[in-house]
Amino acid sequence: MAAGPSLTANWLAVLLLFASAALSLAHPQTHRHQFIIQATPVKRLCKTHNAITVNGQFPGPTLEVNNGDTLIVTVINKAKYNVTIHWHGIRQLRTGWADGPEFVTQCPIRPGGSYTYRFTVQGQEGTLWWHAHSSWLRATVYGALIIRPRRGDSFPFPKPNREAILLMGEWWDANPIDVVRQATRTGAAPNVSDAYTFNGQPGDFYKCSSKDTVVVNIDSGETNLLRVVNSALNQALFFTVANHKLTVVGADASYTKPFTTSVLMLGPGQTTDVLISGNQVPNRYYIAARAYQSAQNAPFGNTTTTAILSYKSAPCAAKKGCASIKPIMPSLPAYNDTATVTAFSKKFRSPRPVPVPTKIDESLFFTIGLGLNNCPRNFKSSQCQGPNGTRFTASMNNVSFVLPSNISILQAFQQRIPGVVTPDFPANPPVKFDYTGNVSQSLFQPVPGTKGYRLKYGSRVQVVLQDTSIVTPENHPIHLHGYDFYIIAEGFGNFNPKTDTKKFNLVDPPLRNTVAVPTNGWAVIRFVADNPGAWIMHCHLDVHITWGLAMVFLVDNGVGQLQSIEAPPPDLPIC
């Protein structure tokens, strides 16, 4: 009889143990990592270069967290260049000091220095990525950042059998820093890359590359998740898999209403999560990516990178001679296939109705595009090798953004230090013109400046992003730091507020952090300014941000601690 209470006590202990384990599983975790930035010999296209890497890896390590978790990453700079790390797409609520863009939210980490990034992932799930945000270091310093659902939650789609990450990138058969420095010296466009890559590997169609081509495994009957990231420096890319349909379920760490397509287009900075089913004849199929080139007469790399989707039950899968059998090649869109890009972009919707701001406090209109500076009198002709002896530049609302060099914009804004950034970025173009028509040469030369646009905490903001045909129209991937935004409409030609507002989707527009503004067209985004700090909005074609295609939103603190940016960390780098 005495065994009864003891048995009950034992069961209670077991139940308590399980309950405690369940609680610990559901509780947010803190993940600590160390990134050592260093030069590492990397061999591609038959040559070895001392590439800048993280922990000797190219691409860098994949970070995995759950929604609600905290990341603490200590970056130690053992390279010869300044460096910062940007956690692309992370909201950084109140933690703007961890955002990473050089001279915007921090001074760079100097050679021999270190800095610890601390931030919590809140309300985001899906695929993001991290990359250097200093000069052109992100050509090799980048990696995936996977945010899984909160512990105990699940995907809003059937759990995939397995997952694969495909980071699309660009490789220069040179030092990328030398490439951009040469362009800065000459005023000309920089040399285009020599290869596109999947996970750092060019693939079968490049010299000395086929033995390292990335292989993605699948089995008949499986449904797998592919996390696709465009980490390329300067190129929008088409992505497809031979003979397979792709079901889009997420983009930029937000879920989407699922839709099926045979081709993706990602601008640099964008991510897309797709489901792929093993429903074809067991074989080996090429996964392929190549350029979407929207700028007329601009040079670009016209090569194709490949990975391989390999069925485990393919006839040759277990045999050594498998590599000699060529995978099936997909057809890819033409390089200038804007119609396919437009059809793809229009399919994005949020899974359900979303709280789009309807009453707008700040209605902004930003022109974006290239420009040409006249050759300064004290410059040699070798320093003005742009069209007709000019130097390439770029701007938003005719302001070509200039980064400060002795303090970050966020520090100056928070500490009210004058003379660093002025809050007078124009809400509209200073001159109205036919943005997508024949533009007068007098409008080709923008004004340099470090200007921000000030927003009150909680402001409801609408921005019309208007491409221009100055020099050449182009599809521009515009990325806003510190925020996700709703893309409520896109179109071609000049935005017309009288007629184009009828196209606004205020019910279920997609939530993104990077919008591919159509070539010779426009996009309209909305967001609520609920994250205080200094947040850069820029073109994610790095050549364009180098030329000044950027601006900064200066968002005031709200009321109380929870609406105010945190104090700067003690190890914030100094200039």
Side-chain angles (χ1 to χ4, degrees), residues 113-397:
S114 68
Y115 179 47
T116 298
Y117 294 88
R118 297 174 175 86
F119 56 90
T120 299
V121 179
Q122 302 179 51
Q124 297 180 281
E125 293 177 14
T127 306
L128 293 176
W129 62 303
W130 57 265
H131 60 79
H133 212 298
S134 181
S135 185
W136 274 22
L137 282 184
R138 83 169 179 88
T140 53
V141 178
Y142 63 87
L145 174 51
I146 296 172
I147 309 169
R148 302 195 177 281
R150 291 183 185 276
R151 287 165 184 80
D153 290 352
S154 57
F155 295 121
F157 46 82
K159 186 179 179 182
N161 295 89
R162 64 181 99 188
E163 302 179 15
I165 301 162
L166 288 167
L167 293 149
M168 301 187 291
E170 289 183 271
W171 176 261
W172 275 262
D173 201 6
N175 180 344
I177 303 295
D178 291 344
V179 173
V180 68
R181 285 178 176 174
Q182 169 75 359
T184 302
R185 275 194 301 271
T186 64
N191 292 341
V192 298
S193 59
D194 296 288
Y196 302 115
T197 57
F198 278 121
N199 296 349
Q201 297 294 343
D204 286 1
F205 299 157
Y206 296 91
K207 59 186 180 181
C208 304
S209 300
S210 57
K211 72 180 177 64
D212 294 311
T213 297
V214 171
V215 176
V216 176
N217 291 310
I218 197 168
D219 212 351
S220 295
E222 284 185 351
T223 296
N224 293 350
L225 177 64
L226 302 182
R227 300 177 180 272
V228 186
V229 181
N230 187 349
S231 330
L233 219 67
N234 293 316
Q235 190 60 61
L237 293 165
F238 287 117
F239 172 99
T240 191
V241 183
N243 294 13
H244 288 73
K245 294 286 189 183
L246 305 167
T247 300
V248 175
V249 293
D252 292 0
S254 291
Y255 295 118
T256 63
K257 196 170 286 180
F259 67 89
T260 301
T261 180
S262 58
V263 64
L264 314 176
M265 193 289 284
L266 290 84
Q270 293 186 317
T271 73
T272 307
D273 291 347
V274 298
L275 298 175
I276 184 168
S277 296
N279 56 10
Q280 297 300 304
V281 174
N283 208 328
R284 299 165 83 235
Y285 298 86
Y286 272 129
I287 301 167
R290 76 174 184 188
Y292 164 49
Q293 182 60 6
S294 59
Q296 292 182 345
N297 304 319
F300 69 99
N302 62 357
T303 55
T304 301
T305 182
T306 54
I308 297 170
L309 184 74
S310 179
Y311 278 71
K312 288 172 70 178
S313 51
C316 72
K319 299 175 186 175
K320 290 181 181 177
C322 195
S324 64
I325 301 173
K326 277 286 180 196
I328 296 165
M329 185 68 189
S331 60
L332 281 149
Y335 296 113
N336 62 350
D337 189 349
T338 294
T340 290
V341 172
T342 305
F344 174 67
S345 181
K346 284 184 175 178
K347 291 179 180 177
F348 282 87
R349 293 282 187 276
S350 285
R352 59 192 64 83
V354 288
V356 186
T358 50
K359 185 182 177 185
I360 298 301
D361 303 305
E362 297 277 1
S363 185
L364 309 175
F365 188 104
F366 293 172
T367 54
I368 56 176
L370 303 186
L372 297 172
N373 280 332
N374 295 332
C375 192
R377 289 180 180 176
N378 59 332
F379 276 40
K380 301 173 184 174
S381 59
S382 61
Q383 296 172 284
C384 298
Q385 293 183 26
N388 302 315
T390 59
R391 291 177 60 84
F392 272 109
T393 184
S395 68
M396 298 179 80
N397 275 358

Side-chain angles (χ1 to χ4, degrees), residues 68-71 90-93 95 118-122 124:
D69 287 356
T70 295
L71 262 169
I90 293 290
R91 285 289 318 269
Q92 297 292 358
L93 290 163
T95 52
R118 297 174 175 86
F119 56 90
T120 299
V121 179
Q122 302 179 51
Q124 297 180 281

